[in-house]
Amino acid sequence: MGMKHYPAEFKADAVALYWSRPGATIKSVAADLGVKTETLRNWIRAGEGRCSGSHSAPATAATSGGDGVQAELAVARKRIRELEEERDILRKAARYFGDGDALVNRCQFVEDHQRRFGVKRLCIILTLSRSSFYYWRRTAAARAACQAAETELADLIREVHQDSDGTYGAPRVTAELRGEGILINHKRVAGIMRTIGLEGVRLRRRHRTTTAEPAAAKAPDLIGRDFTADAVNTKYVGDITYLPVSGAKPLYLATVIDLASRRLAGWAIADHMRTELVTSALAAAERTRGSLAGAIMHTDHGSQYTSRSFAEICRSAGVRQSMGAIGSSADNAAAEHFNAAFKREAFKGRKGWPSEHEARLDAFRWLTRYNTRRRHSRLGQRSPIAYENALPSATTTLAQAA
């Protein structure tokens, strides 16, 4: 049950509340306040009557409590103005909160509107600590400088990523930036790449290219899963991978990779997987190095590598053949890793090339860039040729590819 006698301040606040809510009814406001609808209506009428007749009221009104009502109305009007102003402020502030950090947005709103409304009032309405606002304003210059540096760094990362044909992930982008003299942590690069929507390409599903010939001659395993070498031109691995072409026969790529520098010493592309494919790749490696005498050539048990023709080419070049176990990709992991990198970065998410011509050109570009520019994690994020050029001259008297 409501009070029988209400203080003047309560009446004034009740009237002010009703006036501040244009869509509300007297009944709903009265229910919120716990007073009778007719009681609130009388207070509102009294306030309106006093407001309209305040200048012509007889002098005797003062003796009947008129001054008290005028005071109540003055309080109510002031409160209404405050509520309306708060409503306007919150409407303006709503435009600042579409996205981003809420605290930063509140501080920015106070900064933009402090001349009109004052810092204290705005901070109260937005439930923002004034000390937080003043700290934000005091550090604005440092933040702006940091943001400018971050934007500049993001632009550099975009350039590196674009220059790699969109293939580099954070580790290689980091190495490229460090190569340009920019000291930066790979975690920061990864964070910026996530922010601007960049990532390296991912590996696609494998396609089987190795077909073992049970009756073919086998060579011993001279590598033993040790895919390292103390000097260039001493240990090589080779393999075949395929290049899918839309609506046509796929192409096949045979490679010869130096385990010391990871350099692609020789390669060949054809629309078949006959023995000529791998012998052409080995011949290309011999032209690159000048001589392969004494080097080990490690492969899987594919019929091309176990063929008599390939064995004769190896003997002619002074190369010792080596093979891992049948069906074990781990025994030729270095070549498998190269193929995976090629597929991941040359395909770039595609199912295949639109034509044989484009497939050959894209492969040529990537394979060449692999040697000259692509950074390799095992080489301290240097390219194979950069790694070889940094070796002592006595170990790099090697002929270049024609």
Side-chain angles (χ1 to χ4, degrees):
M1 185 175 180
M3 296 183 291
K4 292 184 178 181
H5 302 286
Y6 295 91
E9 184 178 355
F10 182 89
K11 296 177 183 180
D13 286 344
V15 174
L17 177 62
Y18 171 73
W19 284 344
S20 68
R21 298 171 62 188
T25 63
I26 296 177
K27 183 178 180 180
S28 64
V29 175
D32 290 342
L33 298 175
V35 302
K36 294 181 179 180
T37 303
E38 194 60 32
T39 300
L40 178 58
R41 182 177 287 108
N42 290 337
W43 293 345
I44 295 171
R45 287 173 179 170
E48 291 174 346
R50 291 289 184 265
C51 183
S52 61
S54 59
H55 297 292
S56 60
T60 55
T63 60
S64 60
D67 290 344
V69 174
Q70 292 300 320
E72 292 175 10
L73 289 175
V75 172
R77 293 190 192 101
K78 180 180 179 182
R79 181 58 180 159
I80 290 171
R81 288 193 299 271
E82 292 175 350
L83 291 172
E84 289 176 344
E85 188 175 72
E86 289 183 9
R87 179 195 61 195
D88 293 341
I89 289 172
L90 290 173
R91 283 177 178 173
K92 293 177 185 294
R95 304 182 193 131
Y96 282 68
F97 293 91
D99 53 20
D101 184 270
L103 178 61
V104 171
N105 291 338
R106 280 183 287 175
C107 289
Q108 189 63 56
F109 180 81
V110 174
E111 176 71 16
D112 294 345
H113 296 83
Q114 60 175 320
R115 290 182 178 275
R116 179 176 177 184
F117 300 108
V119 172
K120 181 178 180 180
R121 179 157 175 74
L122 291 174
C123 286
I124 291 174
I125 294 173
L126 299 178
T127 62
L128 173 66
S129 167
R130 275 185 287 171
S131 61
S132 297
F133 167 71
Y134 287 124
Y135 174 80
W136 176 87
R137 188 164 66 178
R138 188 170 61 251
T139 57
R143 280 197 316 279
C146 182
Q147 183 60 45
E150 198 82 351
T151 300
E152 183 179 357
L153 186 56
D155 291 339
L156 290 174
I157 289 174
R158 283 193 187 92
E159 290 179 8
V160 172
H161 189 261
Q162 183 178 3
D163 195 44
S164 73
D165 290 338
T167 61
Y168 275 11
R172 287 191 173 89
V173 171
T174 304
E176 193 73 27
L177 293 174
R178 287 176 177 171
E180 297 175 7
I182 301 173
L183 299 180
I184 188 170
N185 185 281
H186 76 279
K187 292 182 179 179
R188 187 181 178 194
V189 171
I192 294 175
M193 290 183 69
R194 282 194 300 270
T195 300
I196 61 179
L198 297 181
E199 62 178 3
V201 294
R202 301 179 183 277
L203 180 63
R204 290 179 57 84
R205 191 174 181 178
R206 285 191 64 211
H207 178 81
R208 183 177 178 84
T209 54
T210 300
T211 304
E213 179 60 54
K218 305 297 188 296
D221 186 353
L222 304 178
I223 294 291
R225 297 189 181 182
D226 178 15
F227 300 106
T228 61
D230 296 330
V232 298
N233 200 28
T234 58
K235 293 167 68 175
Y236 292 91
V237 293
D239 199 7
I240 300 173
T241 190
Y242 85 115
L243 287 65
V245 179
S246 299
K249 290 175 58 178
L251 297 177
Y252 296 92
L253 167 69
T255 55
V256 179
I257 304 165
D258 192 311
L259 287 179
S261 64
R262 290 306 196 269
R263 180 174 181 172
L264 181 62
W267 53 276
I269 295 178
D271 59 359
H272 60 79
M273 287 197 299
R274 295 191 295 273
T275 303
E276 300 97 284
L277 177 66
V278 296
T279 56
S280 295
L282 187 64
E286 188 174 22
R287 289 194 299 271
T288 298
R289 294 310 196 190
S291 172
L292 298 176
I296 294 172
M297 180 63 186
H298 183 80
T299 66
D300 57 27
H301 284 263
S303 59
Q304 302 87 352
Y305 295 113
T306 58
S307 67
R308 180 177 298 176
S309 297
F310 187 73
E312 290 176 355
I313 291 293
C314 287
R315 280 195 297 271
S316 176
V319 172
R320 293 182 292 164
Q321 277 190 273
S322 170
M323 295 181 185
I326 296 177
S328 175
S329 61
D331 284 353
N332 201 19
E336 296 280 355
H337 180 78
F338 176 89
N339 290 341
F342 170 72
K343 292 288 187 68
R344 182 172 62 246
E345 298 179 10
F347 279 13
K348 292 183 285 190
R350 297 176 297 188
K351 293 184 178 180
W353 280 275
S355 68
E356 178 181 328
H357 178 69
E358 290 191 38
R360 287 180 180 274
L361 285 181
D362 280 356
F364 171 76
R365 182 172 187 269
W366 190 91
L367 296 170
T368 304
R369 284 168 59 92
Y370 170 85
N371 279 336
T372 60
R373 297 191 59 184
R374 186 183 183 278
R375 295 178 181 272
H376 202 295
S377 58
R378 285 184 173 271
L379 306 178
Q381 294 296 1
R382 288 175 289 182
S383 71
I385 289 182
Y387 176 82
E388 288 188 359
N389 289 341
L391 294 174
S393 58
T395 64
T396 56
T397 53
L398 304 166
Q400 299 298 310

